[in-house]
Amino acid sequence: MDFTFNVYALILLLCGKITLLLSYYVYKKEGGAVRLFGIMMFTNAIWSIAYGLELASTSLSQIIFFINIEYIGISTLPLSWFLFCLHLSGKEKWYKRPFNFVTLMVITIATILTVWTNNWHHLYYTSITVDNSSYFPMAKIATGIGYHLFTIYFYILLAIGNYLLFAKFRTADPIYRRQNYLIIVASLIPWIANITYLAGIRPLGNLDMTPFAFVATISLIAVAIYRFKLFDIVPIAREKVMDLMQDGFVILDNKKRVIDYNLAFKKYLGRSKRTNIIGATLEELLPGQTDFHRSIENRYTGHVELKLSNEFGVFDLDVDIRCLDNNQPNSDATIVKMQDLTQFKKDAIKSKEQTEELKRLNQLKDRIFSIIAHDLRAPLVNLSEVLKMISDDEISPEEFKMLAPILSKDIIYTTDLLENILHWSRSQLKGFGINKGFFDLKGLVVDEVTYHMPSARAKNITIVQDVFPGAMIYADMLMIQIVIRNILNNAIKFCYDTCEIKIFAVYTKEHFIKLCIEDNGTGMEKIVLESLFSGENKSRRGTKDEKGTGLGMVVCKEFMERNDGKISVRSEISMGTKICLHLPVDESKN
């Protein structure tokens, strides 16, 4: 190859080589936008070096050869500039979509191939000749439709890139201004050079000043990177950090209008308030929060609580309000931080409920141990003493017959007590399962009435049951039997002579069977009724001094809940008691 070097060619070759070395250094050292800038430097280096060699060439074939090399850089430079601007303005997600990136690459590759095959179709250049009328030989080009289409594409990418930079940095903080001015000025240089060339203003003949302009642009941006720490302190980094924060942040001006916010703040707004946030007041964005807005208006500095609700849910927020001091810049600004305490409060409530439940269970456990230590021990001691007296012939058969009814009551009481304690203890065991199935409710009720008839006859109590046949229940039959037995036993215990106990069942709208056991006995006081299922209720004596433990209704409630049913009680003093069981009739209720 034959070269005749001139000052312009040497300048481009020197700048191109320096740019090439710097591009490798920048690309290897950094990532993100800086790496894209390194790619842009590399494409410009290709253009500069190839154009410098073109300017030093004298033959047409050699000039065309280097033009073909130039277009590797020319076609990729606007693309790398566009990607650089997208990343710098925080829009990098756009080019990470495969379709968008592939489309840009197809245009770039198609341009290179069109230039390389121009001799076959002349779509890009209609003719290329050597102009020897200037200071040195230069290519004189007659452009075709391909050239004009690429020029439009070139300008579109440059324009969008410049717009992104301007839109991003126009509201930047003072700390970014020197960076902003430098980048905006740098981005305008290629426009001026290329528009001048295309308009025919060519003081140096056919010399294209655009690659020189891009060298100047890249030099200025390089200064911004390493002199003003462009990628160490940039608004986009600040925004990404802010948007990653879980707490909501909003900044207000002196008129209480929003001038900045992060992504987390938007989730606390209603659907219709999320589009036009900048410039709106907090009263418009968060209506109805009178105390909060009054704190903002009075420039209160401190914490306030806020409760908000939208389609995302209900939020309990701790709001930290900070008004900047007068000796600080932008002293009229107000910073509001919103910390979501919803889950924390839910956990606190759950923890409190668990604590209360544990406290209740501990009290119930202490009560059970007290019952075992006193109420269970006393009847057994009495029985032991009587048996010992009989063995020692200290009492006569007639005296034993007199004691037998008392001993019988003690044994019945002890049996009921043990049964309830054992059933309740089993229900509290971790992993204790239930055996659900279908069974006939009427058959179960009839069996329980038969079981309790001797106790009822002893007090001349009439039991009337009106449960329709064929009423099938889906539950654990043993558990429901224990519930009915406890309720029926209590009804007899608290009934006077000649009282009546009614047992009846009806279907409910919720597809349950409601089984009610109603008596006209002593009834219960309100205070007793309120603590009936807590285990704190002290046992009461029956109408014939029958003893109780107070645990029976605790077991009933536990077993009904385990079978997806419920129990309700209505009672008045001297008017009797009505207890209703809501029993599931099919598997779907479980």
Side-chain angles (χ1 to χ4, degrees):
M1 289 186 177
D2 185 26
F3 295 104
T4 303
F5 291 100
N6 53 72
V7 65
Y8 300 103
L10 291 173
I11 290 173
L12 282 176
L13 287 171
L14 178 62
C15 292
K17 288 178 181 179
I18 294 172
T19 305
L20 186 62
L21 293 173
L22 287 176
S23 69
Y24 176 77
Y25 172 77
V26 170
Y27 185 85
K28 295 292 287 184
K29 184 179 180 181
E30 304 284 354
V34 178
R35 178 160 290 183
L36 290 171
F37 179 71
I39 295 172
M40 186 170 65
M41 293 179 73
F42 177 72
T43 59
N44 181 253
I46 295 174
W47 187 1
S48 298
I49 293 172
Y51 191 48
L53 293 173
E54 178 198 332
L55 293 179
S57 301
T58 56
S59 65
L60 180 62
S61 59
Q62 190 170 313
I63 288 174
I64 292 174
F65 174 78
F66 285 114
I67 287 175
N68 291 341
I69 300 299
E70 287 171 39
Y71 263 87
I72 298 174
I74 292 173
S75 62
T76 52
L77 182 59
L79 174 60
S80 58
W81 165 259
F82 178 61
L83 298 181
F84 169 73
C85 293
L86 281 173
H87 202 104
L88 192 61
S89 59
K91 308 291 185 182
E92 64 270 22
K93 288 183 179 179
W94 187 90
Y95 71 77
K96 289 182 179 179
R97 296 171 187 164
F99 176 79
N100 296 339
F101 185 74
V102 169
T103 301
L104 293 174
M105 287 302 299
V106 166
I107 296 173
T108 299
I109 294 170
T111 301
I112 295 173
L113 294 177
T114 303
V115 173
W116 288 359
T117 60
N118 187 71
N119 287 338
W120 299 345
H121 48 70
H122 299 286
L123 292 175
Y124 206 86
Y125 301 128
T126 57
S127 68
I128 303 178
T129 57
V130 178
D131 179 14
N132 293 302
S133 62
S134 189
Y135 304 105
F136 51 86
M138 284 186 285
K140 184 177 182 180
I141 297 171
T143 58
I145 187 171
Y147 181 92
H148 297 296
L149 289 175
F150 176 73
T151 302
I152 293 171
Y153 165 74
F154 191 101
Y155 274 107
I156 288 173
L157 293 190
L158 282 181
I160 295 175
N162 283 18
Y163 170 76
L164 290 173
L165 292 179
F166 179 75
K168 192 66 187 176
F169 293 146
R170 64 180 178 177
T171 57
D173 294 336
I175 193 172
Y176 310 123
R177 284 177 185 166
R178 287 184 297 178
Q179 300 173 1
N180 301 348
Y181 293 151
L182 207 55
I183 292 176
I184 295 298
V185 170
S187 66
L188 293 176
I189 294 175
W191 282 87
I192 298 170
N194 198 253
I195 291 172
T196 301
Y197 178 77
L198 293 177
I201 305 173
R202 303 173 184 178
L204 299 174
N206 291 305
L207 183 66
D208 187 358
M209 298 300 294
T210 307
F212 294 90
F214 269 106
V215 168
T217 294
I218 289 175
S219 300
L220 288 175
I221 294 178
V223 171
I225 291 176
Y226 295 105
R227 171 65 180 84
F228 299 127
K229 306 297 183 183
L230 174 64
F231 297 107
D232 293 336
I233 310 173
V234 290
I236 184 62
R238 167 195 141 296
E239 288 189 3
K240 286 184 177 180
V241 171
M242 290 287 286
D243 287 343
L244 285 172
M245 289 183 177
Q246 298 294 321
D247 297 336
F249 280 87
V250 59
I251 301 175
L252 311 177
D253 63 9
N254 58 349
K255 295 183 179 179
K256 313 308 174 190
R257 296 172 302 188
V258 176
I259 56 175
D260 199 3
Y261 65 93
N262 70 339
L263 193 61
F265 173 68
K266 293 180 71 173
K267 73 178 181 181
Y268 304 131
L269 305 179
R271 188 188 302 274
S272 61
K273 308 290 184 181
R274 294 182 195 138
T275 51
N276 298 314
I277 299 176
I278 298 295
T281 65
L282 281 185
E283 290 185 355
E284 296 170 344
L285 299 173
L286 302 173
Q289 305 296 330
T290 308
D291 294 338
F292 170 60
H293 298 315
R294 187 181 297 115
S295 300
I296 296 291
E297 187 64 33
N298 295 334
R299 296 184 61 78
Y300 165 78
T301 295
H303 292 262
V304 296
E305 291 188 357
L306 201 60
K307 196 176 188 70
L308 303 173
S309 62
N310 55 31
E311 68 271 19
F312 294 131
V314 179
F315 302 98
D316 290 298
L317 305 178
D318 175 64
V319 181
D320 185 9
I321 304 172
R322 287 288 177 266
C323 300
L324 299 184
D325 298 332
N326 290 329
N327 58 355
Q328 292 180 304
N330 302 321
S331 59
D332 289 335
T334 302
I335 302 173
V336 180
K337 185 189 82 167
M338 298 182 173
Q339 184 179 8
D340 189 357
L341 300 180
T342 307
Q343 190 59 45
F344 175 78
K345 288 196 173 183
K346 286 181 179 178
D347 292 342
I349 292 171
K350 185 178 180 180
S351 177
K352 184 178 180 181
E353 290 175 349
Q354 290 174 339
T355 301
E356 292 296 326
E357 179 65 13
L358 185 61
K359 182 179 177 182
R360 185 188 69 81
L361 289 174
N362 282 333
Q363 289 175 343
L364 186 57
K365 177 198 69 175
D366 294 341
R367 178 166 170 72
I368 289 172
F369 284 140
S370 174
I371 291 169
I372 292 173
H374 182 268
D375 292 12
L376 188 60
R377 180 176 175 275
L380 292 176
V381 169
N382 290 341
L383 179 60
S384 175
E385 290 296 324
V386 170
L387 292 175
K388 183 180 179 182
M389 291 172 68
I390 293 174
S391 176
D392 295 341
D393 295 326
E394 293 182 8
I395 59 173
S396 64
E398 289 75 14
E399 291 174 322
F400 177 75
K401 288 181 180 179
M402 293 176 61
L403 293 173
I406 299 174
L407 291 175
S408 178
K409 285 183 180 180
D410 285 346
I411 291 171
I412 292 172
Y413 164 76
T414 304
T415 303
D416 290 342
L417 173 61
L418 279 174
E419 192 172 80
N420 280 328
I421 290 175
L422 289 173
H423 287 315
W424 181 83
S425 300
R426 283 182 65 205
S427 71
Q428 298 302 309
L429 290 175
K430 188 175 182 180
F432 174 72
I434 59 177
N435 185 23
K436 292 183 180 181
F438 290 100
F439 62 88
D440 180 27
L441 179 61
K442 183 176 179 65
L444 181 62
V445 170
V446 169
D447 289 345
E448 287 304 307
V449 169
T450 303
Y451 175 81
H452 284 89
M453 279 309 295
S455 301
R457 288 196 192 98
K459 297 177 74 171
N460 296 317
I461 295 172
T462 303
I463 300 178
V464 180
Q465 68 88 13
D466 185 21
V467 178
F468 46 88
M472 301 301 293
I473 300 300
Y474 184 78
D476 187 312
M477 188 175 73
L478 178 60
M479 286 187 173
I480 302 304
Q481 182 184 24
I482 292 167
V483 172
I484 295 174
R485 181 171 295 181
N486 267 290
I487 295 172
L488 197 53
N489 184 58
N490 283 342
I492 294 171
K493 182 166 65 173
F494 294 108
C495 269
Y496 301 104
D497 285 351
T498 70
C499 275
E500 183 179 74
I501 298 173
K502 297 178 182 179
I503 305 173
F504 57 92
V506 294
Y507 277 107
T508 68
K509 294 180 180 179
E510 296 80 17
H511 303 290
F512 283 83
I513 287 180
K514 184 168 75 171
L515 176 70
C516 295
I517 301 175
E518 184 177 12
D519 65 69
N520 55 356
T522 60
M524 287 180 278
E525 297 176 352
K526 185 177 180 181
I527 189 171
V528 175
L529 192 62
E530 289 174 350
S531 60
L532 191 61
F533 299 113
S534 65
E536 300 172 0
N537 183 34
K538 293 183 179 180
S539 62
R540 298 179 297 145
R541 297 275 180 168
T543 54
K544 288 200 172 181
D545 206 34
E546 301 99 325
K547 286 194 267 184
T549 64
L551 293 177
M553 296 309 293
V554 175
V555 174
C556 290
K557 183 176 183 292
E558 181 81 21
F559 284 5
M560 287 302 299
E561 289 177 351
R562 281 179 170 266
N563 284 276
D564 299 293
K566 63 180 181 178
I567 182 170
S568 58
V569 183
R570 191 177 67 192
S571 183
E572 292 183 30
I573 286 291
S574 301
M575 299 295 291
T577 301
K578 181 179 180 180
I579 300 179
C580 293
L581 308 176
H582 295 255
L583 303 165
V585 297
D586 55 63
E587 297 180 58
S588 64
K589 297 297 177 184
N590 294 270

mmCIF file of all heavy atoms in Angstrom, residues 70 213 222 235 289 523:
data_model
loop_
_atom_site.group_PDB
_atom_site.id
_atom_site.type_symbol
_atom_site.label_atom_id
_atom_site.label_comp_id
_atom_site.label_asym_id
_atom_site.label_seq_id
_atom_site.Cartn_x
_atom_site.Cartn_y
_atom_site.Cartn_z
ATOM 1 N N GLU A 70 -13.719 1.710 7.649
ATOM 2 C CA GLU A 70 -14.328 2.795 8.443
ATOM 3 C C GLU A 70 -15.744 2.445 8.895
ATOM 4 O O GLU A 70 -16.162 2.760 10.014
ATOM 5 C CB GLU A 70 -14.374 4.093 7.623
ATOM 6 C CG GLU A 70 -13.050 4.775 7.417
ATOM 7 C CD GLU A 70 -13.188 5.913 6.425
ATOM 8 O OE1 GLU A 70 -14.234 6.611 6.484
ATOM 9 O OE2 GLU A 70 -12.286 6.092 5.591
ATOM 10 N N ALA A 213 -14.882 15.400 15.332
ATOM 11 C CA ALA A 213 -15.852 15.839 16.342
ATOM 12 C C ALA A 213 -16.084 14.758 17.387
ATOM 13 O O ALA A 213 -16.182 15.032 18.587
ATOM 14 C CB ALA A 213 -17.163 16.216 15.664
ATOM 15 N N ALA A 222 -14.472 11.620 28.613
ATOM 16 C CA ALA A 222 -13.405 10.999 29.398
ATOM 17 C C ALA A 222 -12.984 11.903 30.551
ATOM 18 O O ALA A 222 -12.714 11.433 31.662
ATOM 19 C CB ALA A 222 -12.213 10.688 28.498
ATOM 20 N N PRO A 235 -26.587 10.683 39.339
ATOM 21 C CA PRO A 235 -27.965 10.620 39.809
ATOM 22 C C PRO A 235 -28.564 9.238 39.668
ATOM 23 O O PRO A 235 -29.332 8.801 40.491
ATOM 24 C CB PRO A 235 -28.686 11.641 38.905
ATOM 25 C CG PRO A 235 -27.614 12.546 38.400
ATOM 26 C CD PRO A 235 -26.388 11.718 38.307
ATOM 27 N N GLN A 289 -55.752 12.223 55.925
ATOM 28 C CA GLN A 289 -54.794 12.059 57.021
ATOM 29 C C GLN A 289 -54.540 13.413 57.682
ATOM 30 O O GLN A 289 -53.487 14.022 57.537
ATOM 31 C CB GLN A 289 -53.493 11.448 56.482
ATOM 32 C CG GLN A 289 -53.656 10.152 55.723
ATOM 33 C CD GLN A 289 -54.175 9.037 56.610
ATOM 34 O OE1 GLN A 289 -53.924 9.016 57.812
ATOM 35 N NE2 GLN A 289 -54.917 8.098 56.024
ATOM 36 N N GLY A 523 -79.990 -22.228 85.717
ATOM 37 C CA GLY A 523 -79.416 -21.183 84.875
ATOM 38 C C GLY A 523 -78.075 -20.692 85.405
ATOM 39 O O GLY A 523 -77.573 -21.184 86.424
#
